[in-house]
Amino acid sequence: MNRQRLSISYDALDGVERLFREEKEPWSDCLSRHLPALDLVRAYDFSWLARDVSGGITVGLVLLSQSLAHAQLSGVHPIRGAYACILAPLAYALLGTSHEGSVGTGGLVALIAGEQLAASYSDEETRSQHVATLSLLVGGLLLAMAALQVSFLVRFLS
C-alpha cells in the first residue's frame, strides 16, 4: 500500500515537473498532440467517406432523439438537449483520441440534475439557465484537471 502511494506521489511530481520544463517542441508536434484529429485526417482513406457519412447521420439522429428525452427528464426545454448533443461530439471529434468513442447525454445525470434543480427552481427557464451553468462548471473543472495533469488522482480513487 505504501509503495503504491509513493509511486502515485512520484507520478504527481513528474506531472508538475513536465508543466514547468523548458524544452521546446516543434509547433506541428504540439498541435498534433493537442488535436489528435489532425493525425486521423492525414491518414484518412477517402474510400470510407460514404460509410462514414451514413454512420454519422445515423449516430446523429440517435443522439438527437436521446438528448430530447434526457432534456425532458431533467425538466428543461427540449432545445437545450439538442444543443447538448451537438457540442459534445464535435469537441470530442477534435480533441478525442479514439475514433470508436461514443459521446452523448447521460440519462442518469439528466435525472439527478433535474431533481436537484426542480427542488430549488420551479420555472423551466430558470432551471434551463442553471443547468447550463452547472454544465459549464463541471466542464471547467474537468479542463482544469486535464491542464494540471491530475489523472493520477482518478487512478488513486478508483
Side-chain angles (χ1 to χ4, degrees):
M1 181 86 172
N2 288 336
R3 285 184 181 180
Q4 184 180 10
R5 284 186 185 168
L6 191 58
S7 80
I8 290 172
S9 298
Y10 286 134
D11 288 345
L13 290 175
D14 186 43
V16 171
E17 179 184 330
R18 276 185 292 188
L19 282 175
F20 297 106
R21 211 178 283 156
E22 290 294 325
E23 296 174 8
K24 302 291 181 189
E25 63 180 329
W27 66 270
S28 60
D29 290 345
C30 181
L31 195 60
S32 290
R33 188 167 45 93
H34 291 293
L35 293 173
L38 293 178
D39 291 335
L40 292 174
V41 169
R42 287 183 195 132
Y44 189 73
D45 182 6
F46 284 97
S47 66
W48 303 337
L49 186 62
R51 290 186 213 142
D52 284 346
V53 168
S54 172
I57 290 171
T58 303
V59 168
L61 291 175
V62 168
L63 277 178
L64 182 62
S65 61
Q66 183 182 27
S67 68
L68 292 175
H70 291 161
Q72 284 212 288
L73 270 178
S74 62
V76 298
H77 198 273
I79 195 67
R80 303 283 182 161
Y83 290 148
C85 88
I86 292 171
L87 187 59
L90 285 178
Y92 189 79
L94 290 174
L95 303 172
T97 56
S98 172
H99 60 277
E100 289 96 4
S102 175
V103 179
T105 57
L108 184 60
V109 174
L111 187 60
I112 291 172
E115 286 296 318
Q116 293 302 312
L117 291 173
S120 301
Y121 309 103
S122 60
D123 181 36
E124 184 180 274
E125 186 61 33
T126 307
R127 276 195 312 268
S128 295
Q129 292 172 355
H130 283 49
V131 80
T133 304
L134 178 65
S135 299
L136 288 173
L137 286 172
V138 170
L141 181 63
L142 290 174
L143 284 174
M145 290 176 67
L148 295 173
Q149 298 178 350
V150 291
S151 61
F152 72 92
L153 187 60
V154 174
R155 287 192 304 268
F156 179 71
L157 294 175
S158 62

